[in-house]
Amino acid sequence: STINFLERLCLTWMFFFMMCVAERTYKQRFLFAKLFSHITSARKARKYEIPHFRLKKVENIKIWLSLRSYLKRRGPQRSVDVVVSSVFLLALSIAFICCAQVLKGHKTFLNAAYNWEFLIWEAALLLFLLRLASLGSETNKKYSNISILLTEQINLYLKMEKKPNKKEQLSLVNNVLKLSTKLLKELDTPFRLYGLTMNPLIYNITRVVILSAVSGVVSDLLGFNIRV
């Protein structure tokens, strides 16, 4: 019993240590995204002591897009995605086991000690996933903020009225901004859940298995068939 307890304690510590590392990476990504969104604002750039430039030249737009791409790839990517996917699959498995136990006998579900352990693990994993989902969602909002490009387009239109001799040059920059806006919209991947990268296989398993299990539990508790 002592060896079993120590093994569980070590495995739990290792697992939650990896989750803390993943959360720290997500916090760093959010910080980079937050500072990146302040680059084109003179007031915010001065406040956070970061470089500032406006998107009024094609070269500046190139730098802005290159910097955005570099910051999104900065730091560990694949290892963190593996940790998050593993946590999601573990939470998925525990939820499926709990649903099966409830279907087997919901009146005696809380009588078993291992079911309480499953519930504690599920609550801890869900809190962690909600935290990552919040950070990932905020990070995506910062990087996919189209209002920055729209603001620069408005500024270019105002400059065209003040400086008609530079209308051709400003029109070129405006066209590049329009293409950049379309590019940012196309870069949003379909398998994302509040900023968490989702594998298509995991996405389909979640949609089919978990919804079916929840449907069975709800139908068993309410006493009539229900389809989710």
Side-chain angles (χ1 to χ4, degrees), residues 167-193:
K167 186 175 182 179
E168 183 177 355
Q169 180 182 358
L170 295 176
S171 297
L172 175 62
V173 178
N174 186 42
N175 292 332
V176 176
L177 284 175
K178 289 181 179 179
L179 292 175
S180 301
T181 303
K182 293 181 180 179
L183 177 63
L184 294 184
K185 292 180 179 179
E186 292 293 332
L187 287 178
D188 293 334
T189 56
F191 295 102
R192 278 193 173 272
L193 180 63

Side-chain angles (χ1 to χ4, degrees), residues 216-226:
V217 172
V218 173
S219 300
D220 183 69
L221 293 178
L222 297 180
F224 57 87
N225 293 328
I226 183 173

Side-chain angles (χ1 to χ4, degrees), residues 82 164 183 209:
V82 169
L183 177 63
V209 178

